[in-house]
Amino acid sequence: MKKLWNRFKANKFLLSFSMLASGSLIAQVISIIVSPITTRLFTPQQLGAYTVVATAVSLFGPVICLKYDMAIVVAKTEKDTYSVMKLCLFLFIPLSVIIGIVYGVVFMRSDYSGFSLWMCICAITVLLAAYGLNNILLAHNNKNSLYKLISSVTVIKSGVNNILLVISGLFNVGITGLICSQIVSSFVGLGHQSKDIRKKMGEFKEIDFEAIKKSFLKHRKQPVYNASSALITTSIYSSINLFIKSVYSTEQLGLYSLSYRVLGIPFSVISANIARVFFDSAVKEVTECGNYKRTFRKTIIVLSIIIIPMIMLMAILAPSIFSLFFGTEWETAGKYVRLLAPMFCLRLIAESLTTSFIVSNKQHIELILQSILLVGEFAVYLISYFRNLPIEQFLLLISLLYMIMHSNMIIVMYKLSKEGDNNVKN
């Protein structure tokens, strides 16, 4: 047993992943425990209205720094690291304000139980700003392998968010409580996430405009290719929310959002954490070997062993468990899980490995693949809209489309992992 433990500790990949996954797992356990309470305190309509606000964050949050935050991980010196971090800071603040105003005016015209348009704009702006700060700090902590810190932040945010959700639900404040709990938990998490960087504020402040400009030009592929691809990726998933709200109803959006959230649990616990460790390991293997095929193979085996059985089990049990666990009015969300499960299975595997395009310096290939997927998605929207398809058939078509595209993406990334070292030059 001792030998097995020592071998586990010697395997840096598994040790790093287990540290990150433990925090995500605890955070998800907290959410799972609290979910039967919150689904009885909030209606599908309220959850649907909140999802419209949250969609702005999930759509633009990952690209609010124009993906320059990814360059923090591969920066060679401390000066390069801090100059990229400062560049990201100058980018996300004005972008948060602009996106908050435009999105609010376009998509938040309805008054949701007293949550007016200007309140929506303020909420979206603040949430995006918090997301931008989190992106910077997360990249910095990932670069320095501070996985314990990252893990603890995940638990703290989940705990604060869920406690505030229950309190706001008991006081019947509706969508206001849903949004405020998210804002407060985001900033609580940022305080802890910045623990390491606060010790180095002197060096951070010394970075001048010339260093920032140099970083802007050096990593210019990030906004051109990676940010464009990431925006398409987030559009692919977030646009489903907006389509359901427009064509079906806010109630059905609420049901779909719960099914999406439950299927996203493996992403939070497994996929997102493996992605961080995979990126770090792949960059190091490229430096040593000229390719990263060993890291890629190891990662995809771990992902397949964990994700495939988990998603299959969720698909089989979802309708009955949703009705029992969340309440009878949420049983339909369990049926949606069954339709979306195959799509999520391949998505979780593919998205854990998408940093392959950055490692291989082939961001334009990801941009092409994601663009094809987005075009296919809009074709499904048009078919569903003009043929007046029920939401179940719409979700089935979406699931089939994503299965095909993510399978192709995995094949392409595997081929890239075996190529020579035209990698990490940006």
PDB file of all heavy atoms in Angstrom, residues 115-149:
ATOM      1  N   PHE A 115     -36.372  43.076 -11.422  1.00  0.00           N
ATOM      2  CA  PHE A 115     -34.964  43.221 -11.811  1.00  0.00           C
ATOM      3  C   PHE A 115     -34.943  43.945 -13.146  1.00  0.00           C
ATOM      4  O   PHE A 115     -35.057  43.354 -14.201  1.00  0.00           O
ATOM      5  CB  PHE A 115     -34.305  41.841 -11.901  1.00  0.00           C
ATOM      6  CG  PHE A 115     -32.823  41.888 -11.649  1.00  0.00           C
ATOM      7  CD1 PHE A 115     -32.333  41.972 -10.356  1.00  0.00           C
ATOM      8  CD2 PHE A 115     -31.919  41.845 -12.692  1.00  0.00           C
ATOM      9  CE1 PHE A 115     -30.962  42.012 -10.101  1.00  0.00           C
ATOM     10  CE2 PHE A 115     -30.550  41.887 -12.458  1.00  0.00           C
ATOM     11  CZ  PHE A 115     -30.078  41.969 -11.148  1.00  0.00           C
ATOM     12  N   SER A 116     -34.772  45.240 -13.111  1.00  0.00           N
ATOM     13  CA  SER A 116     -34.929  46.104 -14.279  1.00  0.00           C
ATOM     14  C   SER A 116     -33.725  46.025 -15.219  1.00  0.00           C
ATOM     15  O   SER A 116     -32.700  45.409 -14.912  1.00  0.00           O
ATOM     16  CB  SER A 116     -35.137  47.545 -13.829  1.00  0.00           C
ATOM     17  OG  SER A 116     -34.016  47.991 -13.099  1.00  0.00           O
ATOM     18  N   LEU A 117     -33.850  46.721 -16.357  1.00  0.00           N
ATOM     19  CA  LEU A 117     -32.803  46.704 -17.375  1.00  0.00           C
ATOM     20  C   LEU A 117     -31.479  47.228 -16.833  1.00  0.00           C
ATOM     21  O   LEU A 117     -30.426  46.609 -17.023  1.00  0.00           O
ATOM     22  CB  LEU A 117     -33.234  47.540 -18.585  1.00  0.00           C
ATOM     23  CG  LEU A 117     -32.185  47.738 -19.686  1.00  0.00           C
ATOM     24  CD1 LEU A 117     -31.751  46.407 -20.277  1.00  0.00           C
ATOM     25  CD2 LEU A 117     -32.727  48.651 -20.784  1.00  0.00           C
ATOM     26  N   TRP A 118     -31.502  48.382 -16.133  1.00  0.00           N
ATOM     27  CA  TRP A 118     -30.236  48.950 -15.660  1.00  0.00           C
ATOM     28  C   TRP A 118     -29.594  48.053 -14.618  1.00  0.00           C
ATOM     29  O   TRP A 118     -28.363  47.961 -14.531  1.00  0.00           O
ATOM     30  CB  TRP A 118     -30.444  50.360 -15.106  1.00  0.00           C
ATOM     31  CG  TRP A 118     -31.121  50.444 -13.770  1.00  0.00           C
ATOM     32  CD1 TRP A 118     -32.455  50.584 -13.525  1.00  0.00           C
ATOM     33  CD2 TRP A 118     -30.481  50.395 -12.490  1.00  0.00           C
ATOM     34  NE1 TRP A 118     -32.707  50.609 -12.179  1.00  0.00           N
ATOM     35  CE2 TRP A 118     -31.506  50.502 -11.517  1.00  0.00           C
ATOM     36  CE3 TRP A 118     -29.162  50.269 -12.060  1.00  0.00           C
ATOM     37  CZ2 TRP A 118     -31.249  50.477 -10.145  1.00  0.00           C
ATOM     38  CZ3 TRP A 118     -28.896  50.245 -10.692  1.00  0.00           C
ATOM     39  CH2 TRP A 118     -29.929  50.359  -9.746  1.00  0.00           C
ATOM     40  N   MET A 119     -30.399  47.356 -13.818  1.00  0.00           N
ATOM     41  CA  MET A 119     -29.854  46.413 -12.833  1.00  0.00           C
ATOM     42  C   MET A 119     -29.201  45.224 -13.533  1.00  0.00           C
ATOM     43  O   MET A 119     -28.149  44.733 -13.106  1.00  0.00           O
ATOM     44  CB  MET A 119     -30.962  45.934 -11.897  1.00  0.00           C
ATOM     45  CG  MET A 119     -31.492  47.006 -10.963  1.00  0.00           C
ATOM     46  SD  MET A 119     -32.944  46.478 -10.016  1.00  0.00           S
ATOM     47  CE  MET A 119     -32.209  45.330  -8.875  1.00  0.00           C
ATOM     48  N   CYS A 120     -29.813  44.781 -14.631  1.00  0.00           N
ATOM     49  CA  CYS A 120     -29.236  43.691 -15.431  1.00  0.00           C
ATOM     50  C   CYS A 120     -27.891  44.104 -16.014  1.00  0.00           C
ATOM     51  O   CYS A 120     -26.923  43.335 -15.981  1.00  0.00           O
ATOM     52  CB  CYS A 120     -30.188  43.296 -16.556  1.00  0.00           C
ATOM     53  SG  CYS A 120     -31.676  42.423 -16.023  1.00  0.00           S
ATOM     54  N   ILE A 121     -27.828  45.315 -16.548  1.00  0.00           N
ATOM     55  CA  ILE A 121     -26.578  45.827 -17.134  1.00  0.00           C
ATOM     56  C   ILE A 121     -25.475  45.886 -16.086  1.00  0.00           C
ATOM     57  O   ILE A 121     -24.339  45.449 -16.328  1.00  0.00           O
ATOM     58  CB  ILE A 121     -26.816  47.212 -17.768  1.00  0.00           C
ATOM     59  CG1 ILE A 121     -27.697  47.084 -19.011  1.00  0.00           C
ATOM     60  CG2 ILE A 121     -25.481  47.876 -18.125  1.00  0.00           C
ATOM     61  CD1 ILE A 121     -28.140  48.415 -19.594  1.00  0.00           C
ATOM     62  N   CYS A 122     -25.800  46.415 -14.909  1.00  0.00           N
ATOM     63  CA  CYS A 122     -24.817  46.501 -13.818  1.00  0.00           C
ATOM     64  C   CYS A 122     -24.352  45.110 -13.386  1.00  0.00           C
ATOM     65  O   CYS A 122     -23.156  44.882 -13.171  1.00  0.00           O
ATOM     66  CB  CYS A 122     -25.407  47.246 -12.622  1.00  0.00           C
ATOM     67  SG  CYS A 122     -25.647  49.015 -12.901  1.00  0.00           S
ATOM     68  N   ALA A 123     -25.315  44.188 -13.260  1.00  0.00           N
ATOM     69  CA  ALA A 123     -24.990  42.823 -12.827  1.00  0.00           C
ATOM     70  C   ALA A 123     -24.064  42.134 -13.818  1.00  0.00           C
ATOM     71  O   ALA A 123     -23.066  41.501 -13.436  1.00  0.00           O
ATOM     72  CB  ALA A 123     -26.269  42.017 -12.647  1.00  0.00           C
ATOM     73  N   ILE A 124     -24.376  42.252 -15.114  1.00  0.00           N
ATOM     74  CA  ILE A 124     -23.559  41.613 -16.154  1.00  0.00           C
ATOM     75  C   ILE A 124     -22.155  42.211 -16.173  1.00  0.00           C
ATOM     76  O   ILE A 124     -21.154  41.493 -16.263  1.00  0.00           O
ATOM     77  CB  ILE A 124     -24.235  41.759 -17.529  1.00  0.00           C
ATOM     78  CG1 ILE A 124     -25.528  40.934 -17.581  1.00  0.00           C
ATOM     79  CG2 ILE A 124     -23.290  41.308 -18.648  1.00  0.00           C
ATOM     80  CD1 ILE A 124     -26.425  41.255 -18.751  1.00  0.00           C
ATOM     81  N   THR A 125     -22.067  43.556 -16.054  1.00  0.00           N
ATOM     82  CA  THR A 125     -20.765  44.236 -16.051  1.00  0.00           C
ATOM     83  C   THR A 125     -19.898  43.771 -14.885  1.00  0.00           C
ATOM     84  O   THR A 125     -18.717  43.450 -15.051  1.00  0.00           O
ATOM     85  CB  THR A 125     -20.956  45.760 -15.985  1.00  0.00           C
ATOM     86  OG1 THR A 125     -21.734  46.190 -17.103  1.00  0.00           O
ATOM     87  CG2 THR A 125     -19.622  46.479 -15.987  1.00  0.00           C
ATOM     88  N   VAL A 126     -20.485  43.719 -13.704  1.00  0.00           N
ATOM     89  CA  VAL A 126     -19.740  43.322 -12.502  1.00  0.00           C
ATOM     90  C   VAL A 126     -19.312  41.858 -12.583  1.00  0.00           C
ATOM     91  O   VAL A 126     -18.179  41.506 -12.249  1.00  0.00           O
ATOM     92  CB  VAL A 126     -20.593  43.558 -11.235  1.00  0.00           C
ATOM     93  CG1 VAL A 126     -19.927  42.951 -10.009  1.00  0.00           C
ATOM     94  CG2 VAL A 126     -20.813  45.050 -11.018  1.00  0.00           C
ATOM     95  N   LEU A 127     -20.216  40.993 -13.038  1.00  0.00           N
ATOM     96  CA  LEU A 127     -19.889  39.566 -13.156  1.00  0.00           C
ATOM     97  C   LEU A 127     -18.782  39.316 -14.177  1.00  0.00           C
ATOM     98  O   LEU A 127     -17.903  38.478 -13.970  1.00  0.00           O
ATOM     99  CB  LEU A 127     -21.143  38.764 -13.528  1.00  0.00           C
ATOM    100  CG  LEU A 127     -22.147  38.523 -12.397  1.00  0.00           C
ATOM    101  CD1 LEU A 127     -23.453  37.958 -12.955  1.00  0.00           C
ATOM    102  CD2 LEU A 127     -21.580  37.581 -11.343  1.00  0.00           C
ATOM    103  N   LEU A 128     -18.813  40.061 -15.284  1.00  0.00           N
ATOM    104  CA  LEU A 128     -17.773  39.918 -16.302  1.00  0.00           C
ATOM    105  C   LEU A 128     -16.418  40.426 -15.781  1.00  0.00           C
ATOM    106  O   LEU A 128     -15.372  39.825 -16.060  1.00  0.00           O
ATOM    107  CB  LEU A 128     -18.154  40.675 -17.572  1.00  0.00           C
ATOM    108  CG  LEU A 128     -19.193  39.995 -18.466  1.00  0.00           C
ATOM    109  CD1 LEU A 128     -19.618  40.942 -19.594  1.00  0.00           C
ATOM    110  CD2 LEU A 128     -18.660  38.701 -19.057  1.00  0.00           C
ATOM    111  N   ALA A 129     -16.445  41.521 -15.020  1.00  0.00           N
ATOM    112  CA  ALA A 129     -15.213  42.050 -14.435  1.00  0.00           C
ATOM    113  C   ALA A 129     -14.608  41.036 -13.463  1.00  0.00           C
ATOM    114  O   ALA A 129     -13.390  40.807 -13.453  1.00  0.00           O
ATOM    115  CB  ALA A 129     -15.485  43.376 -13.729  1.00  0.00           C
ATOM    116  N   ALA A 130     -15.471  40.420 -12.652  1.00  0.00           N
ATOM    117  CA  ALA A 130     -15.001  39.393 -11.712  1.00  0.00           C
ATOM    118  C   ALA A 130     -14.427  38.199 -12.464  1.00  0.00           C
ATOM    119  O   ALA A 130     -13.417  37.612 -12.061  1.00  0.00           O
ATOM    120  CB  ALA A 130     -16.145  38.954 -10.812  1.00  0.00           C
ATOM    121  N   TYR A 131     -15.063  37.847 -13.580  1.00  0.00           N
ATOM    122  CA  TYR A 131     -14.593  36.730 -14.406  1.00  0.00           C
ATOM    123  C   TYR A 131     -13.213  37.041 -14.994  1.00  0.00           C
ATOM    124  O   TYR A 131     -12.319  36.182 -15.030  1.00  0.00           O
ATOM    125  CB  TYR A 131     -15.594  36.474 -15.536  1.00  0.00           C
ATOM    126  CG  TYR A 131     -15.574  35.062 -16.084  1.00  0.00           C
ATOM    127  CD1 TYR A 131     -16.692  34.244 -15.980  1.00  0.00           C
ATOM    128  CD2 TYR A 131     -14.461  34.542 -16.730  1.00  0.00           C
ATOM    129  CE1 TYR A 131     -16.689  32.955 -16.486  1.00  0.00           C
ATOM    130  CE2 TYR A 131     -14.455  33.257 -17.252  1.00  0.00           C
ATOM    131  CZ  TYR A 131     -15.571  32.469 -17.123  1.00  0.00           C
ATOM    132  OH  TYR A 131     -15.565  31.197 -17.630  1.00  0.00           O
ATOM    133  N   GLY A 132     -13.030  38.293 -15.452  1.00  0.00           N
ATOM    134  CA  GLY A 132     -11.747  38.698 -16.007  1.00  0.00           C
ATOM    135  C   GLY A 132     -10.625  38.597 -14.985  1.00  0.00           C
ATOM    136  O   GLY A 132      -9.541  38.070 -15.273  1.00  0.00           O
ATOM    137  N   LEU A 133     -10.879  39.101 -13.776  1.00  0.00           N
ATOM    138  CA  LEU A 133      -9.888  38.999 -12.707  1.00  0.00           C
ATOM    139  C   LEU A 133      -9.573  37.543 -12.382  1.00  0.00           C
ATOM    140  O   LEU A 133      -8.422  37.160 -12.170  1.00  0.00           O
ATOM    141  CB  LEU A 133     -10.403  39.708 -11.450  1.00  0.00           C
ATOM    142  CG  LEU A 133     -10.169  41.215 -11.363  1.00  0.00           C
ATOM    143  CD1 LEU A 133     -10.917  41.794 -10.175  1.00  0.00           C
ATOM    144  CD2 LEU A 133      -8.688  41.529 -11.252  1.00  0.00           C
ATOM    145  N   ASN A 134     -10.621  36.725 -12.349  1.00  0.00           N
ATOM    146  CA  ASN A 134     -10.439  35.302 -12.058  1.00  0.00           C
ATOM    147  C   ASN A 134      -9.580  34.621 -13.129  1.00  0.00           C
ATOM    148  O   ASN A 134      -8.715  33.793 -12.820  1.00  0.00           O
ATOM    149  CB  ASN A 134     -11.799  34.612 -11.964  1.00  0.00           C
ATOM    150  CG  ASN A 134     -11.668  33.141 -11.623  1.00  0.00           C
ATOM    151  OD1 ASN A 134     -11.326  32.777 -10.498  1.00  0.00           O
ATOM    152  ND2 ASN A 134     -11.917  32.276 -12.591  1.00  0.00           N
ATOM    153  N   ASN A 135      -9.806  34.976 -14.406  1.00  0.00           N
ATOM    154  CA  ASN A 135      -9.006  34.402 -15.495  1.00  0.00           C
ATOM    155  C   ASN A 135      -7.517  34.690 -15.295  1.00  0.00           C
ATOM    156  O   ASN A 135      -6.670  33.818 -15.488  1.00  0.00           O
ATOM    157  CB  ASN A 135      -9.452  34.978 -16.843  1.00  0.00           C
ATOM    158  CG  ASN A 135     -10.771  34.419 -17.315  1.00  0.00           C
ATOM    159  OD1 ASN A 135     -11.292  33.468 -16.745  1.00  0.00           O
ATOM    160  ND2 ASN A 135     -11.326  35.010 -18.352  1.00  0.00           N
ATOM    161  N   ILE A 136      -7.206  35.945 -14.926  1.00  0.00           N
ATOM    162  CA  ILE A 136      -5.810  36.354 -14.734  1.00  0.00           C
ATOM    163  C   ILE A 136      -5.178  35.595 -13.571  1.00  0.00           C
ATOM    164  O   ILE A 136      -4.085  35.027 -13.688  1.00  0.00           O
ATOM    165  CB  ILE A 136      -5.721  37.870 -14.473  1.00  0.00           C
ATOM    166  CG1 ILE A 136      -6.234  38.653 -15.694  1.00  0.00           C
ATOM    167  CG2 ILE A 136      -4.301  38.290 -14.129  1.00  0.00           C
ATOM    168  CD1 ILE A 136      -6.427  40.138 -15.430  1.00  0.00           C
ATOM    169  N   LEU A 137      -5.879  35.588 -12.443  1.00  0.00           N
ATOM    170  CA  LEU A 137      -5.341  34.946 -11.241  1.00  0.00           C
ATOM    171  C   LEU A 137      -5.236  33.439 -11.402  1.00  0.00           C
ATOM    172  O   LEU A 137      -4.275  32.815 -10.936  1.00  0.00           O
ATOM    173  CB  LEU A 137      -6.217  35.300 -10.038  1.00  0.00           C
ATOM    174  CG  LEU A 137      -6.242  36.786  -9.658  1.00  0.00           C
ATOM    175  CD1 LEU A 137      -7.305  37.058  -8.611  1.00  0.00           C
ATOM    176  CD2 LEU A 137      -4.874  37.240  -9.164  1.00  0.00           C
ATOM    177  N   LEU A 138      -6.215  32.863 -12.078  1.00  0.00           N
ATOM    178  CA  LEU A 138      -6.203  31.415 -12.298  1.00  0.00           C
ATOM    179  C   LEU A 138      -5.026  31.007 -13.173  1.00  0.00           C
ATOM    180  O   LEU A 138      -4.338  30.015 -12.899  1.00  0.00           O
ATOM    181  CB  LEU A 138      -7.517  30.976 -12.950  1.00  0.00           C
ATOM    182  CG  LEU A 138      -7.755  29.478 -13.122  1.00  0.00           C
ATOM    183  CD1 LEU A 138      -7.750  28.766 -11.782  1.00  0.00           C
ATOM    184  CD2 LEU A 138      -9.067  29.223 -13.843  1.00  0.00           C
ATOM    185  N   ALA A 139      -4.766  31.793 -14.229  1.00  0.00           N
ATOM    186  CA  ALA A 139      -3.630  31.497 -15.108  1.00  0.00           C
ATOM    187  C   ALA A 139      -2.312  31.629 -14.348  1.00  0.00           C
ATOM    188  O   ALA A 139      -1.404  30.804 -14.504  1.00  0.00           O
ATOM    189  CB  ALA A 139      -3.650  32.441 -16.315  1.00  0.00           C
ATOM    190  N   HIS A 140      -2.199  32.663 -13.530  1.00  0.00           N
ATOM    191  CA  HIS A 140      -0.980  32.860 -12.733  1.00  0.00           C
ATOM    192  C   HIS A 140      -0.767  31.698 -11.762  1.00  0.00           C
ATOM    193  O   HIS A 140       0.349  31.165 -11.631  1.00  0.00           O
ATOM    194  CB  HIS A 140      -1.071  34.178 -11.962  1.00  0.00           C
ATOM    195  CG  HIS A 140       0.063  34.402 -11.001  1.00  0.00           C
ATOM    196  ND1 HIS A 140      -0.017  34.033  -9.678  1.00  0.00           N
ATOM    197  CD2 HIS A 140       1.307  34.921 -11.180  1.00  0.00           C
ATOM    198  CE1 HIS A 140       1.123  34.332  -9.072  1.00  0.00           C
ATOM    199  NE2 HIS A 140       1.944  34.872  -9.962  1.00  0.00           N
ATOM    200  N   ASN A 141      -1.814  31.298 -11.074  1.00  0.00           N
ATOM    201  CA  ASN A 141      -1.706  30.203 -10.108  1.00  0.00           C
ATOM    202  C   ASN A 141      -1.463  28.866 -10.787  1.00  0.00           C
ATOM    203  O   ASN A 141      -0.763  28.006 -10.262  1.00  0.00           O
ATOM    204  CB  ASN A 141      -2.961  30.146  -9.237  1.00  0.00           C
ATOM    205  CG  ASN A 141      -3.097  31.374  -8.349  1.00  0.00           C
ATOM    206  OD1 ASN A 141      -2.102  32.027  -8.042  1.00  0.00           O
ATOM    207  ND2 ASN A 141      -4.307  31.706  -7.960  1.00  0.00           N
ATOM    208  N   ASN A 142      -2.041  28.699 -11.977  1.00  0.00           N
ATOM    209  CA  ASN A 142      -1.813  27.483 -12.752  1.00  0.00           C
ATOM    210  C   ASN A 142      -0.354  27.408 -13.211  1.00  0.00           C
ATOM    211  O   ASN A 142       0.280  26.341 -13.152  1.00  0.00           O
ATOM    212  CB  ASN A 142      -2.751  27.450 -13.956  1.00  0.00           C
ATOM    213  CG  ASN A 142      -2.781  26.104 -14.644  1.00  0.00           C
ATOM    214  OD1 ASN A 142      -2.579  25.063 -14.024  1.00  0.00           O
ATOM    215  ND2 ASN A 142      -3.036  26.103 -15.934  1.00  0.00           N
ATOM    216  N   LYS A 143       0.182  28.528 -13.638  1.00  0.00           N
ATOM    217  CA  LYS A 143       1.586  28.584 -14.077  1.00  0.00           C
ATOM    218  C   LYS A 143       2.530  28.168 -12.958  1.00  0.00           C
ATOM    219  O   LYS A 143       3.540  27.484 -13.184  1.00  0.00           O
ATOM    220  CB  LYS A 143       1.918  30.006 -14.536  1.00  0.00           C
ATOM    221  CG  LYS A 143       3.389  30.213 -14.936  1.00  0.00           C
ATOM    222  CD  LYS A 143       3.656  31.652 -15.295  1.00  0.00           C
ATOM    223  CE  LYS A 143       5.127  31.872 -15.611  1.00  0.00           C
ATOM    224  NZ  LYS A 143       5.581  31.095 -16.770  1.00  0.00           N
ATOM    225  N   ASN A 144       2.185  28.585 -11.740  1.00  0.00           N
ATOM    226  CA  ASN A 144       3.031  28.294 -10.589  1.00  0.00           C
ATOM    227  C   ASN A 144       2.621  27.021  -9.851  1.00  0.00           C
ATOM    228  O   ASN A 144       3.077  26.774  -8.724  1.00  0.00           O
ATOM    229  CB  ASN A 144       3.015  29.489  -9.622  1.00  0.00           C
ATOM    230  CG  ASN A 144       3.696  30.704 -10.219  1.00  0.00           C
ATOM    231  OD1 ASN A 144       4.905  30.763 -10.334  1.00  0.00           O
ATOM    232  ND2 ASN A 144       2.894  31.687 -10.637  1.00  0.00           N
ATOM    233  N   SER A 145       1.739  26.236 -10.497  1.00  0.00           N
ATOM    234  CA  SER A 145       1.288  24.941  -9.949  1.00  0.00           C
ATOM    235  C   SER A 145       0.698  25.076  -8.545  1.00  0.00           C
ATOM    236  O   SER A 145       0.877  24.194  -7.692  1.00  0.00           O
ATOM    237  CB  SER A 145       2.447  23.937  -9.928  1.00  0.00           C
ATOM    238  OG  SER A 145       2.959  23.745 -11.222  1.00  0.00           O
ATOM    239  N   LEU A 146      -0.033  26.175  -8.313  1.00  0.00           N
ATOM    240  CA  LEU A 146      -0.678  26.375  -7.003  1.00  0.00           C
ATOM    241  C   LEU A 146      -2.059  25.726  -7.000  1.00  0.00           C
ATOM    242  O   LEU A 146      -3.094  26.380  -6.825  1.00  0.00           O
ATOM    243  CB  LEU A 146      -0.770  27.877  -6.707  1.00  0.00           C
ATOM    244  CG  LEU A 146       0.569  28.627  -6.641  1.00  0.00           C
ATOM    245  CD1 LEU A 146       0.347  30.126  -6.487  1.00  0.00           C
ATOM    246  CD2 LEU A 146       1.430  28.099  -5.496  1.00  0.00           C
ATOM    247  N   TYR A 147      -2.065  24.419  -7.204  1.00  0.00           N
ATOM    248  CA  TYR A 147      -3.331  23.696  -7.362  1.00  0.00           C
ATOM    249  C   TYR A 147      -4.142  23.637  -6.063  1.00  0.00           C
ATOM    250  O   TYR A 147      -5.360  23.607  -6.094  1.00  0.00           O
ATOM    251  CB  TYR A 147      -3.052  22.291  -7.892  1.00  0.00           C
ATOM    252  CG  TYR A 147      -2.369  22.281  -9.248  1.00  0.00           C
ATOM    253  CD1 TYR A 147      -1.187  21.578  -9.461  1.00  0.00           C
ATOM    254  CD2 TYR A 147      -2.903  22.997 -10.310  1.00  0.00           C
ATOM    255  CE1 TYR A 147      -0.555  21.586 -10.697  1.00  0.00           C
ATOM    256  CE2 TYR A 147      -2.279  23.019 -11.550  1.00  0.00           C
ATOM    257  CZ  TYR A 147      -1.103  22.309 -11.740  1.00  0.00           C
ATOM    258  OH  TYR A 147      -0.489  22.331 -12.961  1.00  0.00           O
ATOM    259  N   LYS A 148      -3.449  23.626  -4.954  1.00  0.00           N
ATOM    260  CA  LYS A 148      -4.154  23.615  -3.672  1.00  0.00           C
ATOM    261  C   LYS A 148      -4.940  24.911  -3.485  1.00  0.00           C
ATOM    262  O   LYS A 148      -6.086  24.891  -3.004  1.00  0.00           O
ATOM    263  CB  LYS A 148      -3.152  23.431  -2.530  1.00  0.00           C
ATOM    264  CG  LYS A 148      -3.803  23.210  -1.170  1.00  0.00           C
ATOM    265  CD  LYS A 148      -2.758  22.927  -0.108  1.00  0.00           C
ATOM    266  CE  LYS A 148      -3.413  22.704   1.253  1.00  0.00           C
ATOM    267  NZ  LYS A 148      -2.397  22.431   2.308  1.00  0.00           N
ATOM    268  N   LEU A 149      -4.339  26.027  -3.860  1.00  0.00           N
ATOM    269  CA  LEU A 149      -5.008  27.327  -3.770  1.00  0.00           C
ATOM    270  C   LEU A 149      -6.209  27.373  -4.709  1.00  0.00           C
ATOM    271  O   LEU A 149      -7.309  27.795  -4.319  1.00  0.00           O
ATOM    272  CB  LEU A 149      -4.022  28.440  -4.114  1.00  0.00           C
ATOM    273  CG  LEU A 149      -4.559  29.871  -4.149  1.00  0.00           C
ATOM    274  CD1 LEU A 149      -5.122  30.277  -2.796  1.00  0.00           C
ATOM    275  CD2 LEU A 149      -3.473  30.843  -4.594  1.00  0.00           C
TER     276      LEU A 149
END
